[in-house]
Amino acid sequence: MGRKRLVQQDLENGRLIIPFPEKSLVCEQHYYLALPTGRMLPKVDAFVTWLKAQT
């Protein structure tokens, strides 16, 4: 089992297979980012900006 996004390349290269293609699960997990109020270090600010762009 694995998130398709994380194993897609291995599926395409034949390193992994989907043994039961008619069976798949939708996972509705969410992630939260907790930050202190006020100024952030530039590295943290850059990471937060990058992370928000990924959604």
Side-chain angles (χ1 to χ4, degrees):
M1 292 190 300
R3 292 183 181 269
K4 194 167 185 180
R5 184 186 320 193
L6 298 176
V7 299
Q8 185 66 41
Q9 190 174 32
D10 290 323
L11 290 167
E12 291 170 2
N13 292 333
R15 287 188 293 262
L16 293 176
I17 63 163
I18 301 174
F20 307 106
E22 69 280 356
K23 305 254 184 193
S24 66
L25 299 172
V26 176
C27 183
E28 296 292 333
Q29 288 185 324
H30 302 278
Y31 297 92
Y32 299 90
L33 183 61
L35 298 167
T37 56
R39 279 180 63 194
M40 288 188 279
L41 295 171
K43 288 191 264 187
V44 174
D45 188 43
F47 175 72
V48 170
T49 300
W50 173 83
L51 191 60
K52 288 179 179 179
Q54 302 307 304
T55 60

